[in-house]
Every structure is written in C-alpha cells, then in structure tokens.
C-alpha cells in the first residue's frame, strides 16, 4: 500500500508544481524575454505552447490521481509543514474531492489542448504571458479548492479562483461590457465569500478547529438553529458561485466576456465548485440530522433556476450568453438531485437520498462535458466569424463541418435525448423523484409532482432552445459576410471538441462506468450513508427500489444504429439507389430565396415568448421610416427587450437601500480635519470611560 | 433456437405489426373524415399506394441543405421503429422491455422531433423555420403534459417499465376507473391530437401557411425521404393509440406467447385501435382548427389535467 501512496503523492506533486510552473515560467519568460528576443510573435507563441502544454500535462496527472482514488477507494491525506494554527494544514483527496478533481482535470485537459490553437488568435493583439499565467493559476486554484482540508486553505484557494477569473473576464478590458461584467462578478462573488467566512467561523465555534476532519466529527453537534444558519450561509455563499437564481445576475454577463476557452472552464467546471461546496457542507459537515425544509428550499431554488434559466436562454441571440443561461438551467437540474437527496434523507429514506444525490453528481459530470464542448464550439465559431450574434450567422455547417458536427452532439446531449449522457442523468433524476411517491408525507406529495412537472418542462424547452441555437447558427444560408467568410478551426481545437464529444457518447452509453464510481462515493458521505442500489449489468441500469425500472443506453444506441440501416436497406431494395436532383429551395414564386427571408432567432422564439409572456414581460418597439410611400419602407427597426424581474424587484431596491444608507453615513464625513480630531477625542474619552 | 423464438421473433412481429398497421389506420381515419364531409373519399388502402409510389420517386434536394437534411428521414424512421419495439401492443412482457422505459419512449420521440425541426431550418426556407418554431413551442408544453399523464400510470404501478405498468393494471381492473387515471387519460388524449398533428392543433391535410406546423417543416421533402417521414408519422399515430389504450385500458392483452392468447390479444388490440382512430376522426370532423395562438391554451389544459391527475393520485392514493 505504501507504493500506492508514494505513487499518488508523486502525481499530486506533479500536478500542483506543474500548474505553478505553468503559471510562473511563461510569465518569467515574458518579462525576461522582452529584453532578449526581438520577435514578439515568436516569444508569445513559445509562451503559449509552453504554458498550455504544461497545463495539459498537469491536468492529465490530475486525472490519474483522481482515478486512483476513485478506483481504489482509499483517500489520500497530506499534511503540510509548517502548519497554521487551529487545526492541521492539509490537502486531502477523499472520494468526493477526487470526483470533482476528475471533473476539473478532464475538462482542463481538453481545454488546454484546445487553447494551443485558440490562443493563436491573441498573438500580436494581447499579452500572452498574462493569459497563460492566469489560466494556470485558475486551474491551480480550482484543484486547490477541492483538495483543501482546512478552512484557511480552502478560502485562500477560493479567493485565488475568484480573483484569477476576475482578471480573465477583464482580459479584453477595452470592452466596457467586459469591465462592467468583471465588476459585477467581483462584487457578487465577494458577497458569497463573506458568507462562507461566517459559515466557517460558526463551524469553528463548534469544534475549535478549522480542519475539515474536525467539522465532520459527529461528537459535538451545534443547536439546530446554528446548523440552519450554517446551511443558509453555505447555500447563498456557494450558490453565488454556482449561479442559482436569484444570485445569478453576474453569470450571463461574465461568461460571455471571458475568452471562450475560459468560458468553457468557468461554465463547465467553476460553477461545480459551488456544487462541491454544497455537497461537502450539507452531507459531510452537517451530517445526518437534516430538517425537512432544507430539501424543500433547495428544490424551490432548483426548479426556479432550471425553468427561468432555460426561458431566458430562449430569448438570447448571443451564442455565449445563451449557453451561460443554460448553465443556470443545468445547475438547477443538479440541485433537483441534491434537494431531493436532502428531502429524502430528512425523512430517513437513505437509499433514495443516495440515488437522488447520485443522479445530481452524474449530471455534474455530464454538464461539465457537454457544456465544455458547447462553449468550445462557440469559441470556434467566434474565432472564425468574429461575432457571437447568431442573427448574423447561418450556413456554418458547410464552412465548419467538424465544429458543426461536435456542436450538434453537444446540443443533443444537453437536450437530454437518448442515447447521449444528458439523457441518462435526467433519467436517474426522474427515477429518484418518482420514487418519492411512496413517501407518505404531505409536503413531499406536493413538492415532488411539481418538481417532476417542471423538470419535464425544462427538458422540452431546452430542446427547443438548441434547435434554435444549432439551426440558426449552422444551418440555412449565411446571414452576413462574417458567416460567409468563415473557415474551419485548427486541428487542436477540433481534436479537443472531438474528445469531449466522445466523452458525451461514452458517459451516455456506458453509465455503469460512472455509476460504479459514484455509488461508493455517495455511500461514503455521512449525510447519506447508504447505497443508491443501482443494479448494473450487461450495459443495463436497473433501479430495484422501484419495480424494476430500467434502461440500457448501450442497447438503445446499438438498436438505433441498426434501425437506421433498416430504412436505408429497405429503400434500396424497393426503389434502388436514391435518385437525386439538386435545385434551389422553393422561393414562393420569387426567383430565388435570400438569407434575409429565413427565420431569425428572435422570430423562432416568438411563440414561446407569447406563451410565457407573464414571465418575460417583453416590450418591443417598431420604428418604421416612411419616406416615399407606405408600401416601400426603406428602414424598419425592431427592438425587443425582456425585463429581468430580479434586477427590477430585488437588486434595484437593494442597491437603493445601500446607496441611501451610504449617503446617511456620509453626513458625518465633513472633510474638515478638526471634525475628525474631535471624533478621535470623543472615541478616546468613551473608551477610557468604559475601559475603566 | 429457443432464444430466437422467445426473443427476436416477438420483437420483429411487433415491429412488423406497427409498420403494416400504420398506413391502414390513417386510411381509416381519412375515409371516416371523408364520409363526414359527404364525400366518397379515397379507399382505406390509399396510404399504402402513396408510400409505394413515393419510395420509387426521385428525390429533390435543396442546394442549401446539408447532411442533416439527408440523414434525418432515416434517423426519424429508425427512432420510431425503436419506439415500436418498446411500446406494448398485443402481448406483455415485451422481449425488449428492459431496454427502454416510458421516459425513453418520450425522449426518443423528442429525438425525432429535434431533427425534423432542424430540417425545417436547414433548407433556408421561411416555411421551414415557421414550422420548426411552432413545433418546438407546442412540444415544450405537450411533452411535459405527456410525461405527467404517463407518470400517473407509472406511479400506480410503481415502475416506469411499460410492460410492468400494463401487467399491473391488467391484474387490478378496478384501478382503471380511478379518477386520477381518467384525468390522465383525457390529458393524454389531447396530447395525442397535438403530437400527431391533428385538428384542432394542426391540420395534416393542408399546406396553409397560417396554420400548418408539421407539414411546414417537411415541406422540402420529396420522394423516398418524404415516404419515410410520412410513414414515421403514421407509425407515431398508431403508437400513441396503443399507449392510450394499453396504458389505461389493457383489456384482452395476451400474457403469454400461446397462439390462442396472441389471437385474442391481436384482435383486442385491433379493435381498440380502430375505435380510438374513429374517435380521432370524429373529433377532427366536429371541431374547427384553433387559431395558432389559441393552441397553447388547449395544451395548457392537457398539462393541467395531467398535473391534477398526478397530484390527485398523491392526495387520495390509488
């Protein structure tokens, strides 16, 4: 066993030093090299290749470390010397940490390879050393977050993660929207961190130690009220990072502003750090005594996030903003699993809680792969066309066939269609929720059907949104010169997308791979402490808790392929080869159709905007210039705005309260030094009086 | 050899049954509607002739279209065939019942719809986009309505496995008259009308841009591609009628592979599907097509009915 530990320590050391070197070395070369090397481009591409290759190698080491813990089931624990006060300073990789480390490393590996090609777009234009430094620092801080076993260390890495992403959002800082997004992000994320500090202090007050091992100790329980305060702090603090509604407002601004490889990491992985924190606190620290309202609260947050996330995504025509709203939706779906787990655990049904949590964690992995893939695809489109506005795109499937194909796989996966991975985790979530029907508790009996209904609604709306996103972007005729002049991306970008697409298929058709790893993980958490009892065998996944509900995605995939050959063969036997004639699309009697006659993204989502008009509160303005005759209108401007309920009714009042109270406080700030001296004197007198 | 008899053969027979029956049911509905309109109408075998003709005809492809356009007919047909293997018609348990459950069936329909909607956008025609937009909007309400309706039956049986649901329901005939069950049935009936593009939601017989939904998406299809898309739609109708009858009233279904039971089961299935097809034809003939933006209201009714069914089941139990 000693060998195994040594070997894993080596992987850990390799990964951590790798990221650190990947951050520092290119930065040093960048600073030193300016003086020595004349050609900036040569220098920058060296920095780029070196930095992203080191990141790739480190993330592969992370994958190895994660797999070794997950497969052997033996946690890794490393104490760091010299230690800080209040508990041992340590890194740990238990099953939960190792799983999230695996998610980070898997996506980071693909994104690092992608960046080798993608970042060439920044040569000559941007500071490459800065990008590489921040990129590696971002990856290092995320791995640090999941590996920390001490609150100080955790908060350090948490802040490092927030700050590195703040600078990455501001990477293209000439854009005022990026600066605004960065500011909003840093304000919101620090609101979250403040609550996390409160949470850790409360946990400290219970144990007198800041080490995670002490938090887990069931010996000294806090009163239920304090437990609930900790729960709320964790939900809000981690919820800001995860982007739950109504704490999501930074997310659709920040994710599109960052470079696309960073967006893929932020959306695919960084949001999951919030989920990691929640699972760690709810099921590990707060342990088995869970009141019922926790689960209900999380379920409410989950359905709000998922339904509103997908509805807002439908009205977007900025490809990256659209994907960012879908991240909110998917976080909602993940939280349905976690909320269900809390609810079932509070009612003592541990196997069911285990199943629900397993479904949520499965969706964590799946969302990371397909959302990573989709953001990389969006980056590829942005790289080729220099626009994120899908109203200006179209016809890219002919210009960028590989990007289109992989984006389509991602779109099918995120729409939860069989046999890809999104379908499997949503199926598990449905199963877990439907099994709640056997619990005879009135709250559950009302909460569960509503959650199920809204999960079904979310899935259907997501499919509608991705028909729009893929169809308008890649199909039809190019709507602008940007799309007309597009070209396929470089090999490294295509290969990275391809590898994530393969993962979407593998995690779809071979759920036993994932479930067999996740089940021991979930069982090891004190808050659940039971197996989800998913039977695996012959590619089949069976839930014995119900009366044998089962699917076999592998057989489904196989049958689907076989069944596709059937009509091909039947058609051939009956009518011979397909005789084809290629002509222009029918133009309703006009000579030919033009790109402007196609449906737009705004037009596509119109029926849904009408159906859900109460939620959108859309206002539109039509401006028509009539110069010569009402029949020939040279210019029609159509502007559509949807109202964000949360900005108007939550954030604006809060903003006014804060600004108002700041104005009140300002009255004592006169600006005269005499007044301030008087304040000091008064304070001194008061202190002397009380300290006597 | 015994594997072939008990496993592959029943699966193939079930597939062939749905494949062959589908055009006939559409012929019967067409004939019934024609009689309502005091017309002679085409013979009930007309859909077979249409399919045979279309399969032999040349295909016209838009120069704008991509591989999505050329692959979709096969993919849609394949996913519908796969569903035909999973939905109980004559006998339970089905040989492939463990491969996919009711959630799989609904998702496979969604897979087909996803690609047909993409085809609508693929040719660059305004009609295609119009159809795709309407289809996906309507689907976003009826898909959850369908899930809820069927989940009502699923939680009664304690499983989402279709064969188990049917078997459980056959063994307790009293639960067929459960109010939750009846609500779910009416929800699913509205869903069926919408999913298969029938009046009052869509009219399969016209190409009027004000109203058409499904036809608008597949407007550019011709020849063999159109044959497969049309055949898939016909199969979809039969599968929905099978779900309506067997998920809620599984009377006369065969529980074993004995020839006598199969004959009875086959006859019962045929009778149920014909009756439901007649009901569909009557509803189509006696109702007016709804204005497009009134359609969501009808679909919301289906959604609420199904949700009520599920909650009712929860509150009062089965």
């Amino acid at each position: 066993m000693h060998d195994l530990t040594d070997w894993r320590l080596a992987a850990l050391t390799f990964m951590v030093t790798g990221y650190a070197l990947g951050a520092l070395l290119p930065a040093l070369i960048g600073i030193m090299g300016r003086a020595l090397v004349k050609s900036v481009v040569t220098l920058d591409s060296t920095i780029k290749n070196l930095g992203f290759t080191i990141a790739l190698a480190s993330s592969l080491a992370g994958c190895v470390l994660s797999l070794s813990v997950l497969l052997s089931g033996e946690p890794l624990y490393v104490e760091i010397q010299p230690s800080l006060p209040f508990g041992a300073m340590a890194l740990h990789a238990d099953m939960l940490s190792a799983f999230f480390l695996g998610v980070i490393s898997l996506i980071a590996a693909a994104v690092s390879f992608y960046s080798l090609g993608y970042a060439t777009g920044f040569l000559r234009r941007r500071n490459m050393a800065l990008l590489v430094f921040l990129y590696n620092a971002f990856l290092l801080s995320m791995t640090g977050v999941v590996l920390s076993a001490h609150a100080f260390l955790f908060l350090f890495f948490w802040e490092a993660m927030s700050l590195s992403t703040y600078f990455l959002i501001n990477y293209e800082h000439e854009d005022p929207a990026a600066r605004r997004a960065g500011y909003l992000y840093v304000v919101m994320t620090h609101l979250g961190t403040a609550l996390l500090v409160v949470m850790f202090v409360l946990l400290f007050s219970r144990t007198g130690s800041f080490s995670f091992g002490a938090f887990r100790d069931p010996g000294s329980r806090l009163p239920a009220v304090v437990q609930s305060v900790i729960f709320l702090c964790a939900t809000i603090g981690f919820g800001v990072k995860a982007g739950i509604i109504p704490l999501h407002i930074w997310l659709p601004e920040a994710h599109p502003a960052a470079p696309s490889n960073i967006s893929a990491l932020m959306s695919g992985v960084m949001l999951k750090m919030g989920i990691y924190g929640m699972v760690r606190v709810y099921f590990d620290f707060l342990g088995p005594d869970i009141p019922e309202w926790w689960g209900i609260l999380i379920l409410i947050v989950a359905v709000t996030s998922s339904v509103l996330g997908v509805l807002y995504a439908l009205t977007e025509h900025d490809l990256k903003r659209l994907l960012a709203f879908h991240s909110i939706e998917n976080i909602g779906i993940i939280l349905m699993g976690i909320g269900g787990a809390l609810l079932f655990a509070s009612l003592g049904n541990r196997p069911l809680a285990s199943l629900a949590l397993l479904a949520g964690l499965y969706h964590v992995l799946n969302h990371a792969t397909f959302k990573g893939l989709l953001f990389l695809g969006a980056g590829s489109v942005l790289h080729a066309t220099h626009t994120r506005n899908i109203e200006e795109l179209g016809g890219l499937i002919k210009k960028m066939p590989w990007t289109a194909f992989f984006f389509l796989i991602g779109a099918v996966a995120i729409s939860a269609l069989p046999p890809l991975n999104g379908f499997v985790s949503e199926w598990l979530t449905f199963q877990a929720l439907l099994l709640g029907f056997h619990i005879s508790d009135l709250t559950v009996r009302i909460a569960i059907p509503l959650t199920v209904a809204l999960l079904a609604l979310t899935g259907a709306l997501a499919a509608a949104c991705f028909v729009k996103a893929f169809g308008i972007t890649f199909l039809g005729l190019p709507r602008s010169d940007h799309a007309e002049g597009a070209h396929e991306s470089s090999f490294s970008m295509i290969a990275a997308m391809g590898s994530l697409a393969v993962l979407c298929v593998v995690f779809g058709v071979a759920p036993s791979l994932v479930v067999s790893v996740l089940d021991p993980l979930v069982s090891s958490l004190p808050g659940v402490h039971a197996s989800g009892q998913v039977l695996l065998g012959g590619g089949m996944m069976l839930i014995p808790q119900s009366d044998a509900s089962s699917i076999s995605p592998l057989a489904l995939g196989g049958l689907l392929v076989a069944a596709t050959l059937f009509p091909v063969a039947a058609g051939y036997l009956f009518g011979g080869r397909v005789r084809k004639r290629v002509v222009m699309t029918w133009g309703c009697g006009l000579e030919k159709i033009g790109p402007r006659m196609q449906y737009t993204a705004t037009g596509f989502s119109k029926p849904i905007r009408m159906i859900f008009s109460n939620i959108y509160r859309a206002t539109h303005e039509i401006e028509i210039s009539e110069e010569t005759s009402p029949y020939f209108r040279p210019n029609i401007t159509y502007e559509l705005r949807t109202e964000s309920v949360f900005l108007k009714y939550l954030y604006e009042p809060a903003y006014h309260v804060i600004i108002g109270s700041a104005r009140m406080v300002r009255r004592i700030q006169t600006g005269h030094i005499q007044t301030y001296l008087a304040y000091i004197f008064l304070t001194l007198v008061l202190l002397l009086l009380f300290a006597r | 050899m015994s594997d072939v008899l008990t496993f592959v053969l029943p699966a193939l027979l079930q597939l062939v049954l749905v494949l062959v029956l589908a055009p006939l049911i559409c012929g019967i509905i067409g004939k019934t509607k024609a009689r309502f309109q005091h017309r002679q109408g085409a013979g009930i075998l007309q859909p077979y002739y249409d399919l045979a003709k279309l399969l032999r005809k040349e295909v016209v492809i838009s120069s704008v279209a991509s591989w999505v356009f050329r692959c979709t007919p096969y993919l849609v047909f394949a996913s519908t065939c796969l569903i035909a293997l999973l939905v109980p018609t004559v006998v339970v348990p089905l040989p492939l019942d463990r491969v996919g459950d009711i959630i799989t069936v609904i998702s496979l329909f969604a897979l087909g719809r996803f690609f047909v909607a993409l085809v609508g956008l693929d040719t660059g025609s305004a009609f295609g986009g119009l159809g795709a937009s309407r289809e996906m909007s309507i689907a976003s309400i009826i898909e959850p309505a369908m899930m809820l309706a069927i989940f009502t039956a699923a939680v009664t049986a304690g499983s989402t496995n279709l064969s188990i649901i049917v078997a459980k329901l056959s063994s307790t005939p009293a639960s067929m008259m459960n109010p939750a069950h009846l609500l779910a049935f009416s929800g699913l009936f509205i869903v069926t009308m919408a999913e298969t593009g029938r009046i009052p939601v869509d009219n399969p017989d016209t190409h009027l841009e004000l109203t058409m939904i499904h036809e608008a998406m597949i407007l550019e299809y011709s020849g063999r591609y159109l044959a497969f898309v049309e055949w898939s739609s016909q199969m979809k109708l039969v599968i929905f009628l099978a779900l309506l009858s067997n998920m809620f009233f599984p009377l006369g279904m065969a529980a074993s592979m004995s020839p006598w039971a199969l004959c009875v089961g086959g006859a019962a299935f045929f009778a149920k599907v014909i009756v439901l097809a007649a009901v569909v034809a009557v509803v189509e003939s006696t109702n007016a097509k709804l204005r497009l933006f009134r359609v969501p209201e009808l679909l919301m009714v289906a959604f609420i009915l199904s949700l009520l069914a599920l909650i009712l089941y929860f509150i009062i139990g089965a």
Side-chain angles (χ1 to χ4, degrees), chain A residues 393-415:
Chain A
L393 299 174
L396 292 181
I397 195 169
K398 298 207 166 139
K399 309 274 186 339
M400 323 174 67
W402 287 109
T403 303
F405 180 63
F406 294 138
F407 195 93
L408 181 60
I409 289 185
V412 172
I414 197 174
S415 306

Side-chain angles (χ1 to χ4, degrees), chain B residues 169-227:
Chain B
L169 200 55
S170 312
S171 61
T172 52
S175 60
M176 289 180 204
M177 285 297 136
N178 186 313
H181 220 70
L182 295 177
L183 274 179
F185 178 81
S186 35
L188 192 63
F189 187 79
I190 300 178
V191 168
T192 303
M193 300 303 279
E195 271 276 356
T196 55
R198 301 272 145 193
I199 294 174
V201 175
D202 189 8
N203 188 347
D205 303 327
T206 66
H207 287 103
L208 180 67
E209 62 268 24
L210 283 178
T211 62
M212 67 176 166
I213 300 172
H214 184 74
E215 293 300 317
M217 286 191 293
I218 61 166
L219 200 60
E220 295 291 324
Y221 271 133
S222 54
R224 185 177 302 173
Y225 293 161
L226 183 61

Side-chain angles (χ1 to χ4, degrees), chain A residues 302-318:
Chain A
V303 295
T304 319
S305 300
S306 57
V307 172
L308 290 184
V310 70
L311 281 176
Y312 288 140
L314 268 158
T315 57
E316 280 302 329
H317 46 235
D318 176 329

Side-chain angles (χ1 to χ4, degrees), chain B residues 251-316:
Chain B
L251 302 169
M253 287 194 75
S256 70
M257 297 302 286
S258 73
W260 173 243
L262 283 183
C263 281
V264 172
F269 176 67
F270 198 70
K272 281 183 286 189
V273 169
I274 297 276
V275 168
L276 280 172
V279 174
V280 168
V282 171
V283 171
E284 275 207 279
S285 303
T286 52
N287 280 282
K289 162 90 181 62
L290 281 179
R291 199 156 59 84
L292 188 74
F293 286 118
R294 300 291 301 275
V295 168
E297 292 168 20
L298 176 73
L299 303 179
M300 279 297 182
V301 170
F303 184 76
I304 298 295
L305 277 177
S306 310
L307 185 63
L308 275 182
L310 200 54
I311 292 180
L312 195 66
Y313 171 80
F314 258 63
I315 306 293
I316 64 170

Side-chain angles (χ1 to χ4, degrees), chain A residues 624 626-633:
Chain A
I624 301 169
E626 288 183 15
E627 281 167 13
T628 43
S629 124
Y631 302 106
F632 294 96
R633 291 165 166 170

Side-chain angles (χ1 to χ4, degrees), chain A residues 350-648:
Chain A
R350 298 191 175 279
L352 197 48
S354 175
L355 184 66
L357 188 58
L358 193 153
L361 290 179
Y362 200 152
H363 203 71
V364 165
L365 177 66
N366 288 345
H367 179 243
T369 46
F370 56 62
K371 188 50 69 66
L373 169 60
L374 289 167
F375 261 113
L376 295 187
S380 182
V381 169
L382 179 61
H383 193 70
T385 62
H386 304 290
T387 179
R388 302 196 306 240
N389 184 357
I390 60 174
E391 306 280 31
E392 292 180 18
L393 299 174
L396 292 181
I397 195 169
K398 298 207 166 139
K399 309 274 186 339
M400 323 174 67
W402 287 109
T403 303
F405 180 63
F406 294 138
F407 195 93
L408 181 60
I409 289 185
V412 172
I414 197 174
S415 306
L417 299 175
L420 299 187
N421 58 356
F423 167 70
V424 178
S425 47
E426 282 198 25
W427 185 84
L428 277 171
T429 312
F430 269 125
Q431 290 296 341
L433 291 174
L434 284 177
L435 282 168
F437 281 58
H438 303 298
I439 294 174
S440 56
D441 177 284
L442 191 64
T443 331
V444 179
R445 298 203 143 197
I446 293 168
I448 294 292
L450 288 174
T451 313
V452 166
L454 292 171
L455 178 58
L457 181 68
T458 307
L461 286 170
C465 192
F466 274 92
V467 166
K468 180 188 94 169
F470 182 80
I472 305 284
T473 311
F474 290 98
L475 301 179
L477 290 166
R479 291 178 175 79
S480 71
D481 295 340
H482 293 303
E484 189 74 62
H487 55 87
E488 184 58 283
S489 301
S490 62
F491 168 75
S492 82
M493 292 165 74
I494 293 171
M497 286 188 276
S499 59
L500 286 180
V502 168
L503 287 180
C504 284
V505 177
V506 169
F507 294 150
V509 297
S512 50
L513 286 181
V514 184
V515 174
S516 59
V517 162
L518 281 179
D519 196 43
L521 187 170
V522 174
S523 319
S524 74
L525 292 173
V528 180
H529 218 69
S531 163
Q533 301 177 355
V534 183
L535 272 185
L536 304 161
M540 182 110 57
M541 197 163 56
L542 192 131
I543 313 285
Q545 296 185 52
S546 71
D547 195 345
S549 306
S550 64
I551 48 167
S552 170
L554 186 63
L556 279 176
L559 282 170
L560 200 59
V561 172
T564 315
L565 298 176
F566 166 61
V568 175
Y572 186 78
L573 286 176
F574 196 80
R577 281 177 61 88
V578 185
R579 284 172 294 130
K580 289 176 190 155
R581 188 151 53 93
V582 177
V583 292
M584 195 58 203
T585 303
W586 180 57
C588 307
L590 296 175
E591 225 162 78
K592 56 182 274 199
I593 62 161
R596 297 281 306 276
M597 294 153 102
Q598 298 177 94
Y599 242 53
T600 59
T602 314
F604 189 92
S605 54
K606 174 82 179 172
I608 290 180
R609 280 205 308 278
M610 290 192 67
I611 298 171
F612 296 98
S613 55
N614 287 337
I615 291 172
Y616 287 124
R617 297 154 177 269
T619 48
H620 59 257
E621 278 169 25
I622 303 177
E623 206 174 281
I624 301 169
S625 56
E626 288 183 15
E627 281 167 13
T628 43
S629 124
Y631 302 106
F632 294 96
R633 291 165 166 170
N635 227 332
I636 300 179
T637 318
Y638 178 82
E639 200 183 330
L640 176 83
R641 271 186 304 272
T642 51
E643 183 181 279
S644 170
V645 184
F646 298 101
L647 273 185
K648 188 168 176 184

Side-chain angles (χ1 to χ4, degrees), chain B residues 232-256:
Chain B
S232 312
S233 319
Q234 292 165 357
M235 283 164 71
K236 191 176 185 181
L237 177 64
V238 172
I239 290 167
F240 264 91
L241 297 184
L243 278 175
L244 268 178
S245 56
N246 291 344
M247 296 286 292
F248 294 94
F249 305 101
L251 302 169
M253 287 194 75
S256 70

